[in-house]
Amino acid sequence: ARGGRGLGRLGVGPFCYGPVISGQLGGGERRTAVEGPTWDVLVKGCDTDLGRTVGEGFGEAGHTVVVAGSRRDEVEVTAKELEVSNDQVIVFDNTDPASIARVQGQFPAHLDTIVNVPVPKWTGGDPRTYTLADHVTEWHSIFDNALVSAVLTVQALGDHLR
């Protein structure tokens, strides 16, 4: 499987709602933040290398991973790599309330953790040539994809969290 290691410390961050698995211990050992029962984890952004890595870390730690992203082909690749069943694959755009509403019934009834891996949609080009309006457009995209996407996902799925 692709991706790096080291998923951070146990805690809650702006893009993860619930406990986070710990990274590597000295000597390359891996451990989980949980002893005993496994978690049901939604990882949004599994259509990116970072999302794959996060999903892989939870999966290797023995947790049930639901992979999600907005690019179907990439989400399906991740699902295959992580050996996730089709009922644990959800394709939606979490910056779009209508897209979230369309897949609302596909989410598990219970989730322990939601991890949002934001994917800013950068239009490219040379920022030095941007007008102020271009900068506003780019920053709105970054804001929407990083913060608004997390808020919408948690608002839509908050009742699913245990």
Side-chain angles (χ1 to χ4, degrees), residues 8-96:
R9 297 178 16 204
L10 177 63
V12 177
F15 302 111
C16 182
Y17 306 89
V20 180
I21 69 170
S22 65
Q24 290 184 336
L25 298 173
E29 294 178 56
R30 292 192 57 81
R31 66 181 175 102
T32 65
V34 181
E35 298 290 329
T38 61
W39 301 336
D40 294 319
V41 181
L42 170 68
V43 180
K44 176 61 179 81
C46 279
D47 49 353
T48 67
D49 287 337
L50 179 57
R52 280 187 194 100
T53 301
V54 171
E56 178 184 35
F58 278 106
E60 286 177 355
H63 303 293
T64 301
V65 177
V66 177
V67 299
S70 58
R71 297 177 296 176
R72 179 173 300 282
D73 292 346
E74 293 297 320
V75 171
E76 289 173 352
V77 167
T78 297
K80 184 176 179 180
E81 288 177 355
L82 301 182
E83 298 177 0
V84 171
S85 65
N86 287 339
D87 65 336
Q88 294 172 301
V89 178
I90 305 172
V91 178
F92 73 104
D93 178 355
N94 67 339
T95 64
D96 177 11

Side-chain angles (χ1 to χ4, degrees), residues 66-137:
V66 177
V67 299
S70 58
R71 297 177 296 176
R72 179 173 300 282
D73 292 346
E74 293 297 320
V75 171
E76 289 173 352
V77 167
T78 297
K80 184 176 179 180
E81 288 177 355
L82 301 182
E83 298 177 0
V84 171
S85 65
N86 287 339
D87 65 336
Q88 294 172 301
V89 178
I90 305 172
V91 178
F92 73 104
D93 178 355
N94 67 339
T95 64
D96 177 11
S99 180
I100 295 170
R102 276 192 297 277
V103 298
Q104 189 76 34
Q106 295 178 32
F107 294 101
H110 300 287
L111 290 168
D112 297 295
T113 301
I114 298 171
V115 180
N116 185 55
V117 178
V119 184
K121 296 174 181 144
W122 189 258
T123 60
D126 185 349
R128 295 174 297 182
T129 65
Y130 285 3
T131 65
L132 287 177
D134 293 336
H135 282 288
V136 168
T137 299

